[in-house]
Amino acid sequence: DTGVSQNPRHKITKRGQNVTFRCDPISEHNRLYWYRQTLGQGPEFLTYFQNEAQLEKSRLLSDRFSAERPKGSFSTLEIQRTEQGDSAMYLCASSLAPGIFYGYTFGSGTRLTVV
Amino acid sequence: KQEVTQIPAALSVPEGENLVLNCSFTDSAIYNLQWFRQDPGKGLTSLLLIQSSQREQTSGRLNASLDKSSGRSTLYIAASQPGDSATYLCAVRSNSGGSNYKLTFGKGTLLTVNP
């Protein structure tokens, strides 16, 4: 098992463009999470999947953001009409359910810069 | 609402020194607490996971303690090395409310170990 994999590692985009990030969790983990981290802050929760079902979305996730996890495997996070305020590190994590006795495993993140 | 505070925000020590990083949280109703390490521009690496019923966990030169009733955790690093230089993040998983799968992070402590 190679851990949680995120692609791309870095993305620079112009304001107004759409971007999509991919996360491949640890294969036996059925819970998948997206977090966002801005400079000097701790990561903040964005959304959570159990298998293919998206069970919660943070208020941080505006209508321009959408996440999917088809067939409960990899996940994608799409940002439409990017804004400079979207510049951040986007982190994906996975865990086993029920999860309360297990820790999270995070990926290396995707660094988004909107210019 | 759970809030996590980490003190100090930054710490610089000479190589070989033992050091303590502090984490406090406002709601003691937690499932577990996890310490992470983050290198500049990188994702999170899990260091230690302490369940709410545990008092401490050890891994190599690292020892983490948990005092749930007082809302405190410490991360002790023995015989620090320049390779320990990174940001250390504390995160708690609360068991109050319906969102028991989210992690709430502190802002981290930036550790610099000087040769």
Side-chain angles (χ1 to χ4, degrees):
Chain A
D1 193 340
T2 57
V4 178
S5 176
Q6 290 189 247
N7 288 289
R9 295 292 304 275
H10 304 276
K11 179 71 177 180
I12 300 174
T13 190
K14 293 184 178 179
R15 187 164 53 93
Q17 297 294 306
N18 299 343
V19 295
T20 300
F21 311 139
R22 176 178 170 127
C23 171
D24 288 89
I26 293 174
S27 56
E28 62 265 30
H29 287 183
N30 55 358
R31 291 189 169 186
L32 185 147
Y33 316 83
W34 286 97
Y35 281 72
R36 181 171 69 186
Q37 185 180 27
T38 54
L39 203 60
Q41 302 296 313
E44 294 178 289
F45 172 82
L46 290 179
T47 191
Y48 149 64
F49 290 85
Q50 178 150 331
N51 299 314
E52 66 275 11
Q54 186 175 19
L55 298 184
E56 184 172 344
K57 293 172 59 174
S58 163
R59 287 173 295 176
L60 293 174
L61 223 58
S62 75
D63 291 344
R64 297 184 297 105
F65 288 71
S66 63
E68 295 181 340
R69 192 182 183 198
K71 301 179 182 179
S73 56
F74 69 92
S75 176
T76 58
L77 178 66
E78 180 183 14
I79 309 175
Q80 296 182 328
R81 304 180 304 281
T82 52
E83 302 173 355
Q84 287 189 323
D86 297 331
S87 295
M89 173 77 87
Y90 290 84
L91 295 160
C92 176
S94 66
S95 71
L96 286 167
I100 60 175
F101 299 114
Y102 301 100
Y104 278 39
T105 301
F106 278 85
S108 298
T110 294
R111 166 77 62 189
L112 173 66
T113 303
V114 181
V115 297
Chain B
K1 179 187 172 186
Q2 180 74 270
E3 293 182 1
V4 179
T5 302
Q6 291 188 246
I7 295 173
L11 181 64
S12 181
V13 299
E15 182 177 2
E17 197 160 291
N18 302 327
L19 58 100
V20 174
L21 307 181
N22 297 291
C23 171
S24 62
F25 46 95
T26 55
D27 185 351
S28 61
I30 67 169
Y31 283 120
N32 55 48
L33 182 147
Q34 199 165 356
W35 282 94
F36 294 90
R37 169 188 172 134
Q38 186 173 33
D39 293 294
K42 307 288 187 178
L44 277 61
T45 300
S46 180
L47 298 174
L48 290 164
L49 172 68
I50 311 179
Q51 303 298 339
S52 61
S53 59
Q54 297 175 320
R55 296 286 294 185
E56 64 179 72
Q57 282 285 337
T58 298
S59 176
R61 294 182 294 105
L62 305 180
N63 176 278
S65 69
L66 175 64
D67 184 342
K68 195 178 72 164
S69 61
S70 67
R72 295 180 183 178
S73 176
T74 62
L75 179 66
Y76 174 84
I77 302 177
S80 58
Q81 304 171 357
D84 294 330
S85 298
T87 296
Y88 291 80
L89 292 157
C90 166
V92 299
R93 181 178 294 201
S94 302
N95 66 11
S96 59
S99 302
N100 61 9
Y101 42 80
K102 293 181 193 176
L103 292 183
T104 303
F105 284 84
K107 293 183 179 181
T109 293
L110 175 61
L111 174 65
T112 303
V113 181
N114 301 300

